[in-house]
């Protein structure tokens, strides 16, 4: 039982010892970079643009393939198509009447001639005419009915039209426009990749600059705390000397002012550190109120001593302008294809309609297959193509000039960054010597003050010089880091 109680007590002690560490998260520079890359909003937008460009490229590939479209519709017309005019319709309606009237006139004339010649008697002619009149009426009715049937057969009855078709079109030669369009899609995809790389480099540069700013402020917070303790200790010694009568009240007031200034400095640095950590959390996609600790915060020295090995310059901005130049050149090819090249396409399909014309305007759905070749050749467009081609070539020249200008500026930027790296290393070495001198000066001032050979003003000056030297040394170390990062960004190697 005692062993079990000891185990419980030991476990409780270990748990209490571990609990405070859960409140803070220790982040290295690599951790911050990874978090920023994962959570940065602009990088997320750049990734989505890359996906859009991939989809656009795949869509451009489909331009080589045949297209199949289905169309269906209904139309109501106010009038129907008539194959016969009104006179023809009237003639058909009266076909029998017109025909028998002409025959009757000829028979009457013939019988009158026969009566005159004595071939027929008037009575016989009258009797024959009466018989022929009845027959004429019957024939006229039959002829009119036949004419009406013929007229009705010629009626289209197409006021209500139903139709549909399935059409296939296969480009054979589009003047090079499809090839240019696909090249533009490929270049645009590459452009979005370069844009993503640019956003990535900017994000990494921003996160590294903020990371080292936090480290710098943390070091300065520790320096401010050390300086405050140093001045506080001196204040206690001076007030003891005042009590002993070996120092004046003015000395006490002077050191009290210095203590107050050190306390204000410490508070300002702490506030700036808190704000910088909030900014770093925001860049990393963390809660801005999250307590974090950086791996380099408490290092005495964090400036790299290894040689910086440069590689060839590879700036995404240059690659993006190269992409823009190539896209502009392909745009010129699109204009040439649209205004100066022939276009050939294969077509085919199946069409149906109701009424259909394949069996005398039959009111049934019926259709027909078709296949053909379309040819288009621009002949005259009032020089629209020439104007557009000139504009496209001018855009290409502009992009080339911008590329050359940016290349010169980047070359100058790289030279400046190399100079800044060299200067930062020089200042770091000088600050090392300055810190050693300031520390020795402070040590001698403290010894002299306690031995009574150096006054308070000189001690405070030595403390101020020590604080300034340490602060400059922190700035120099940070400047070495940032100058290296700036050089790598200028070279496009972040």
């Amino acid at each position: 039982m005692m062993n079990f109680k000891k185990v419980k007590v030991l476990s409780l002690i270990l748990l209490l010892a571990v609990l405070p560490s859960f409140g803070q998260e220790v982040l290295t520079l690599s951790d911050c970079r990874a978090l920023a890359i994962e959570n940065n909003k602009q990088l997320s937008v750049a990734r989505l643009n890359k996906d859009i460009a991939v989809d656009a490229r795949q869509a451009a590939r489909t331009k080589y393939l045949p297209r199949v479209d289905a169309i269906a519709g209904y139309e109501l017309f106010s009038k129907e198509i008539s194959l016969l005019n009104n006179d023809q319709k009237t003639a058909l309606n009266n076909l029998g009447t017109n025909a028998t009237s002409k025959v009757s006139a000829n028979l009457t004339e013939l019988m009158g001639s026969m009566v005159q010649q004595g071939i027929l008697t008037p009575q016989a002619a009258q009797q024959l005419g009466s018989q022929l009149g009845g027959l004429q009426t019957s024939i006229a009715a039959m002829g009119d009915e036949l004419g009406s049937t013929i007229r009705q057969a010629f009626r289209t009855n197409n006021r209500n039209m139903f139709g549909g078709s399935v059409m296939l079109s296969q480009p054979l030669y589009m003047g090079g426009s499809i090839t240019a369009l696909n090249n533009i899609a490929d270049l645009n995809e590459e452009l979005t990749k370069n844009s993503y790389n640019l956003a990535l480099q900017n994000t990494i540069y921003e996160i590294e600059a903020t990371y080292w700013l936090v480290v710098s402020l943390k070091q300065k917070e520790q320096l401010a705390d050390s300086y405050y303790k140093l001045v506080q200790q001196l204040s206690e010694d001076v007030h003891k000397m005042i009590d002993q009568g070996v120092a004046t009240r003015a000395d006490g007031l002077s050191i009290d002012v210095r203590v107050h200034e050190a306390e204000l400095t410490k508070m300002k640095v702490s506030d700036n550190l808190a704000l910088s950590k909030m900014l770093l959390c925001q860049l990393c996609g963390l809660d801005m109120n999250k307590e974090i600790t950086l791996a380099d915060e408490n290092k005495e020295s964090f400036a790299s001593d290894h040689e910086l090995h440069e590689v060839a310059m590879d700036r995404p901005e240059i690659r993006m302008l190269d992409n823009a130049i190539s896209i502009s050149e392909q745009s010129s090819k699109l204009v040439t294809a649209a205004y100066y090249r022939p276009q050939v396409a294969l077509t085919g399909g199946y069409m149906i309609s109701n009424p259909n014309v394949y069996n005398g305007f039959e009111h049934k759905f019926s259709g027909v297959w078709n296949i053909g070749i379309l040819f288009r050749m621009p002949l005259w467009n009032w020089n629209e193509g020439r104007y557009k081609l000139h504009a496209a070539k001018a855009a290409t020249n502009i992009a080339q000039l911008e590329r050359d200008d940016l290349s010169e500026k980047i070359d100058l930027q790289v030279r400046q960054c190399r100079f800044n790296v060299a200067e930062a290393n020089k200042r770091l070495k000088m600050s090392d010597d300055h810190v050693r001198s300031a520390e020795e000066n402070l040590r001698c001032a403290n010894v002299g003050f306690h031995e009574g050979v150096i006054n308070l003003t000189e001690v405070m000056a030595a403390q101020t010089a020590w604080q300034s030297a340490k602060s400059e040394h922190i700035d120099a170390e940070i400047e070495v880091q940032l100058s290296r990062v700036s050089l790598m960004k200028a070279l496009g190697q972040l």
Side-chain angles (χ1 to χ4, degrees):
M1 181 65 69
M2 289 297 293
N3 290 336
F4 179 71
K5 288 184 176 179
K6 288 181 179 179
V7 171
K8 289 180 65 178
V9 172
L10 181 59
S11 300
L12 182 60
I13 292 173
L14 291 175
L15 180 61
L16 292 175
V18 171
L19 278 176
S21 64
F22 285 112
Q24 289 191 349
E25 183 176 355
V26 179
L27 298 176
T28 64
L29 179 57
S30 298
D31 295 334
C32 292
R33 290 176 60 163
L35 287 170
I37 292 172
E38 181 181 357
N39 299 309
N40 185 269
K41 300 296 188 300
Q42 294 302 317
L43 278 179
S44 297
V45 171
R47 290 190 196 99
L48 292 175
N49 285 331
K50 285 173 59 180
D51 295 339
I52 292 173
V54 171
D55 292 335
R57 174 180 56 79
Q58 293 175 342
R61 294 292 189 270
T62 64
K63 297 296 182 181
Y64 290 110
L65 304 176
R67 298 297 178 96
V68 179
D69 299 305
I71 302 174
Y74 164 79
E75 291 287 343
L76 174 63
F77 297 93
S78 62
K79 295 180 180 180
E80 66 179 53
I81 296 174
S82 178
L83 300 178
L84 302 174
N85 59 36
N86 292 331
D87 292 339
Q88 291 171 332
K89 292 178 183 178
T90 301
L92 285 173
N93 284 334
N94 299 301
L95 177 64
T97 301
N98 294 336
T100 55
S101 63
K102 291 181 179 179
V103 171
S104 176
N106 292 332
L107 287 175
T108 302
E109 183 180 354
L110 177 61
M111 286 189 295
S113 176
M114 292 176 69
V115 169
Q116 291 177 0
Q117 294 176 4
I119 299 174
L120 289 176
T121 62
Q123 293 78 10
Q126 184 178 5
Q127 185 179 3
L128 180 60
S130 177
Q131 293 176 352
L132 289 176
L135 180 62
Q136 177 184 355
T137 302
S138 299
I139 293 174
M142 293 174 62
D144 289 345
E145 185 179 355
L146 176 61
S148 178
T149 301
I150 295 173
R151 183 186 67 81
Q152 192 67 26
F154 275 98
R155 185 184 176 189
T156 61
N157 193 18
N158 66 333
R159 287 190 61 198
N160 294 281
M161 289 289 296
F162 300 87
S165 67
V166 177
M167 298 296 297
L168 180 144
S169 60
Q170 170 63 59
L172 299 180
Y173 178 71
M174 294 288 109
S177 61
I178 295 180
T179 301
L181 186 64
N182 276 271
N183 291 338
I184 289 175
D186 294 339
L187 290 167
N188 187 60
E189 183 181 5
E190 185 178 348
L191 178 64
T192 57
K193 290 180 180 178
N194 292 327
S195 178
Y196 173 79
N197 290 334
L198 177 60
L200 178 63
Q201 290 192 6
N202 290 334
T203 299
I204 293 175
Y205 179 78
E206 186 177 12
I207 200 70
E208 291 212 8
T210 307
Y211 179 91
W212 290 116
L213 173 63
V214 173
V215 171
S216 170
L217 289 172
K218 181 63 178 180
Q219 294 277 327
K220 288 189 176 183
E221 184 186 47
Q222 295 172 354
L223 174 62
D225 186 62
S226 298
Y227 179 70
Y228 175 76
K229 291 178 180 179
L230 189 65
V231 176
Q232 184 68 30
Q233 182 61 47
L234 181 60
S235 175
E236 292 177 0
D237 294 340
V238 169
H239 282 87
K240 289 178 181 179
M241 295 172 65
I242 292 174
D243 294 338
Q244 296 172 1
V246 294
T248 65
R249 187 181 179 191
D251 293 334
L253 292 175
S254 297
I255 193 62
D256 287 342
V257 170
R258 188 59 59 87
V259 170
H260 181 66
E261 291 176 350
E263 190 174 6
L264 286 176
T265 300
K266 181 180 176 182
M267 182 180 66
K268 289 180 180 179
V269 173
S270 297
D271 292 341
N272 290 334
L273 176 61
L275 292 174
S276 299
K277 283 191 174 183
M278 291 173 65
L279 174 60
L280 183 62
C281 288
Q282 189 269 331
L283 294 175
C284 292
L286 302 175
D287 184 0
M288 287 190 291
N289 295 320
K290 184 179 181 63
E291 292 293 332
I292 60 173
T293 301
L294 303 186
D296 294 304
E297 278 187 4
N298 299 315
K299 289 185 178 179
E300 293 186 3
S301 177
F302 39 82
S304 301
D305 295 327
H306 64 274
E307 186 71 19
L308 181 63
H309 298 287
E310 295 185 19
V311 293
M313 185 175 64
D314 186 25
R315 289 287 290 266
E317 297 97 320
I318 294 292
R319 297 199 303 272
M320 290 172 67
L321 284 177
D322 288 337
N323 296 148
I325 293 171
S326 299
I327 289 175
S328 181
E329 292 172 348
Q330 295 299 321
S331 298
S332 299
K333 294 182 179 180
L334 280 177
V335 174
T336 301
Y339 291 93
Y340 298 101
R341 300 277 178 83
Q343 298 175 3
V344 183
L346 176 67
T347 64
Y350 183 76
M351 300 175 59
I352 60 173
S353 65
N354 183 4
N356 69 83
V357 296
Y358 308 114
N359 191 22
F361 290 96
E362 184 180 24
H363 277 265
K364 292 181 180 179
F365 278 104
S366 183
V368 61
W369 293 97
N370 63 85
I371 187 170
I373 293 180
L374 293 179
F375 176 84
R376 174 183 176 272
M377 180 64 195
L379 297 179
W380 180 250
N381 48 56
W382 302 102
N383 289 326
E384 179 185 1
R386 184 167 65 89
Y387 299 142
K388 288 188 174 182
L389 191 59
H390 286 175
K393 290 181 178 179
T396 303
N397 293 332
I398 291 173
Q400 184 63 53
L401 290 173
E402 290 178 346
R403 197 263 187 208
D404 295 339
D405 182 61
L406 181 62
S407 180
E408 293 175 0
K409 291 179 179 179
I410 288 177
D411 183 65
L412 177 61
Q413 183 183 20
V414 170
R415 293 175 184 271
Q416 290 175 337
C417 288
R418 289 195 181 107
F419 177 80
N420 291 338
V421 169
E423 288 297 306
N425 287 321
K426 290 179 183 178
R427 279 193 287 270
L428 179 59
K429 292 179 180 179
M430 292 174 62
S431 67
D432 288 337
D433 297 336
H434 192 189
V435 167
R436 286 193 291 269
S437 298
E439 288 176 345
E440 179 62 19
N441 182 43
L442 179 60
R443 187 189 67 81
C444 293
N446 287 330
V447 172
F449 179 72
H450 288 97
E451 291 180 355
V453 295
I454 292 180
N455 58 35
L456 178 61
T457 302
E458 292 176 329
V459 175
M460 289 191 296
Q463 289 178 341
T464 302
W466 173 81
Q467 182 199 28
S468 177
K470 293 287 286 185
S471 179
E472 289 176 359
H473 184 265
I474 294 172
D475 291 338
E477 288 188 310
I478 295 298
E479 188 176 357
V480 168
Q481 295 294 332
L482 293 181
S483 63
R484 290 172 179 269
V485 174
S486 296
L487 178 57
M488 295 304 294
K489 183 177 185 297
L491 293 170
Q493 299 299 327
L494 272 183

